[in-house]
Amino acid sequence: MAGSVQARWQTGRVHAAAPAAEGIRRIEIELEQPVRVEPGAHVDLRIDSGDVRSYSLVGGSQDGRRITLGVNLSPTSRGGSRYMHSLEPGDILPVTFPLQNFPLRVGAPRYMLLAGGIGITALVGMASVLRRLGADYTLVFVGRTRERMAFLEELREAHGENLRLHIDDEGAPLSVPQLLDQVDPATELYMCGPIRLMDAVRREWLQRELPLPNLRYETFGSSGWFQAEEFLVRAPSWGVETVVGTGESLLDALERSGVEAMSDCRKGECGLCVLPVESLDGAIDHRDVFFSERQKQDDTTLCACVSRVARRKDPAAQADQGAPPSSSMPTITLDVH
Amino acid sequence: MTDLGPTGATAKNMDYPLNGWYVAGWDHEIGRKEITARTVAGRPLALYRTEDGRPVALADACWHRLAPLSMGQLVGADGIQCPYHGLRYNSAGRCTHMPAQETINPSAMVASYPVVERHRFIWVWPGDPTLADPSLIPDMHQMDSPDWAGDGRTIDVAANYQLVLDNLMDLTHEEFLHSSSIGQKELSSSDIDVTHDERTVTVTRYMEDIEAPPFWRKNMRDRFPDFEGRVDRWQIITFEMPSTICIDVGVAEAGTGALEGDRSRGVNGFVMNTITPVDRRRSLYFWAFMRNYCLDQQRITTQLRDGVHGVFAEDEEMLMAQQEAIEANPDHEFYNLNIDAGGMWVRRLIQAAVEAERMMEQGASSGDPVATPAEGARAVR
């Protein structure tokens, strides 16, 4: 359970690829060696650029020889999802044995599974195990439009009354307080979705003083409050000044410049890569779960592995199309010893 | 019946399936006074009860630096605290407290194994928790039924658990190993009948019109103080996956119909055995002797428990010697006798379960750890 965090690679061959919704493809991959598909597990894939991407396991065949993924074509794709959408049956690519950061605990009296958009891929497997076990569970699936929600028909068939849909453009958006009204201290809630949704649930959860260990989510550390943009990092004690590109992390940029920094999980959980902020021109987009809300508001430290610097503080302004971009690049100066 | 495939007739299989219910301890052994450390099927466990009495089995190694949680202490209604740096976990294995930070790493947890308390035992499922179906717990209802009385003990045997299963599936050995108590020559001269399905194996042996050996003569006289003469004797051995054997044993006045179903002129006991592999060369053997007569006599409960304890000490000595001989002769295989039919079916069921699990676990051990991909940006979806 806690063991499968080290990547081991094998060769995968695309068996089938077909649309699962608008902008989402279901990709089935045949494996050389069988694997056990646990709920909540994901695999890493090496894409054509050499980069690595993680995708949740939506399911697998009985004999463990075939796994199913759901891949969303991101409009801001840096190549990963575009490459994945170009795959055809017969294509070969390296794939890890399943990795597990989001295990389902069996035996809770009640479960709430909350999926936002493509986040459904992390919860499909959990829902089917809970159904098989006869557990008390509800699968809540939130989306903007029905057309963009993957696996809808098969989910409805499998889960019937246990599936609840909230679709924005059908006038049925999710109310987080109403959702948590149905959660008692013994309920375990598993969620995967946009950071705004997960953050809203986390705030409400804390406010209601529900037991924090019962709120389970997968953090991959990739989505923030702001779009990733380039920013400048300075580490005066190392004589380093470099631009952090949109395709790399602050920690990557520091290491590339020769700065020795301690780190471990690289997904904003462990707190080993925390660095003190000396000065800031812009807003820190804290993408970690290590700091508390209070610590994040202080902006005196950040997790270098996931957090970024953005131009504006107010995320609402981001959507404001008319707002003129600031001319200077956001900049952060770090006290790295 | 599914095809279980050929089994090497001479294979010394020492493995155990993980997907099965094993006893971690007697109900009275697991409590809140202390945390019990036990290894079940190679998995070190920290066992305790919550404030409301629910048994808990957590992996006995802290997420952080693997300090044994069993050396820690119980905190709150259902938690446990690591003795080293004070990380706390709830009964689900979720970390609830970390030192020196305001949040909790969401990845921090230890495995919490499925646990069920039934038939005076604490049962643990060391394999895939999503397969842990409580209805698969072996039938040992005599352990806590008002129609039965008795007690038992635990033997910590320095031998592979399948040697214990072999021992119980073939009682011919009683004639030689237990000659002063339950052994008699008719054991090896009477036929056995062996049946099996996917989860159970049954061996039946009837001995008609024989002298009652000392253990059984005493039992007959407990119930029928004037008893004299010969008896009919039965042994119906039932194995249930992965490692429980209940033996319906008894004798009745010869010719009174006991072997046809009328046991009213006899005494009936159930030898309850469940054997937990600790590792490949050590096992915890939990047993009890239950009877359905003279239920109100604690004297008899104690005498039977101590009597069987003495008999089983003879087995223990043999099993340890056998284990040592197996290790001293690594190139030697097992050969089989006609009397091993029951034990061989048990071995075949176990072997099939072990191989099925190995097929699925292959991925966890045979991946290529060398061929890591080029360093690259990590992003998702």
Side-chain angles (χ1 to χ4, degrees), chain B residues 6-243:
Chain B
T7 303
T10 57
K12 287 187 293 189
N13 171 31
M14 299 288 165
D15 291 333
Y16 32 79
L18 294 176
N19 290 325
W21 291 106
Y22 293 102
V23 167
W26 291 85
D27 53 5
H28 61 81
E29 292 183 293
I30 311 302
R32 283 188 68 74
K33 260 197 194 152
E34 55 187 23
I35 305 162
T36 306
R38 286 268 159 88
T39 298
V40 171
R43 305 278 203 266
L45 305 177
L47 297 148
Y48 64 95
R49 284 182 195 266
T50 62
E51 244 171 35
D52 55 9
R54 206 160 40 83
V56 178
L58 298 183
D60 194 13
C62 181
W63 172 83
H64 170 224
R65 282 292 189 268
L66 308 183
L69 296 178
S70 56
M71 290 171 68
Q73 59 189 41
L74 300 182
V75 289
D78 78 335
I80 189 169
Q81 177 172 301
C82 174
Y84 201 178
H85 300 100
L87 279 81
R88 292 181 183 178
Y89 302 90
N90 65 16
S91 59
R94 305 289 191 200
C95 185
T96 58
H97 173 79
M98 285 187 162
Q101 63 185 69
E102 295 185 7
T103 57
I104 295 164
N105 186 323
S107 294
M109 60 178 296
V110 295
S112 176
Y113 293 92
V115 184
V116 174
E117 179 168 8
R118 192 176 289 177
H119 307 322
R120 292 167 63 182
F121 290 122
I122 305 298
W123 300 84
V124 173
W125 180 279
D128 178 351
T130 68
L131 302 175
D133 177 355
S135 73
L136 298 176
I137 291 176
D139 175 15
M140 300 185 87
H141 71 272
Q142 294 86 352
M143 292 294 295
D144 51 0
S145 153
D147 301 332
W148 296 81
D151 203 1
R153 286 187 179 162
T154 310
I155 309 173
D156 187 343
V157 199
N160 180 266
Y161 83 113
Q162 291 200 45
L163 300 183
V164 187
L165 300 179
D166 276 347
N167 171 284
L168 292 164
M169 291 307 289
D170 167 42
L171 299 180
T172 313
H173 77 272
E174 290 179 354
E175 179 181 345
F176 307 96
L177 196 57
H178 311 305
S179 53
S180 67
S181 52
I182 51 178
Q184 58 187 164
K185 66 180 188 318
E186 288 85 354
L187 281 157
S188 51
S189 58
S190 53
D191 288 338
I192 54 168
D193 178 49
V194 182
T195 60
H196 68 92
D197 60 28
E198 288 181 31
R199 295 185 35 80
T200 68
V201 179
T202 303
V203 177
T204 306
R205 174 185 266 134
Y206 292 140
M207 290 156 278
E208 282 184 74
D209 194 23
I210 57 171
E211 280 300 320
F215 176 83
W216 285 113
R217 188 178 313 119
K218 188 256 179 217
N219 294 342
M220 277 298 276
R221 285 185 178 161
D222 279 338
R223 184 170 180 193
F224 308 105
D226 301 331
F227 170 73
E228 296 277 356
R230 292 166 77 83
V231 294
D232 295 331
R233 181 177 177 185
W234 68 90
Q235 293 175 326
I236 304 166
I237 309 166
T238 304
F239 164 84
E240 191 170 348
M241 284 287 281
S243 67

Side-chain angles (χ1 to χ4, degrees), chain A residues 261-297:
Chain A
M262 180 52 67
S263 71
D264 181 31
C265 74
R266 290 186 177 254
K267 53 187 180 180
E269 292 182 357
C270 73
L272 269 176
C273 67
V274 166
L275 293 173
V277 176
E278 224 170 71
S279 68
L280 178 68
D281 175 15
I284 298 182
D285 186 3
H286 289 284
R287 298 180 171 199
D288 63 277
V289 293
F290 172 76
F291 288 121
S292 65
E293 291 304 314
R294 182 189 69 74
Q295 289 169 315
K296 284 178 182 173
Q297 273 159 26

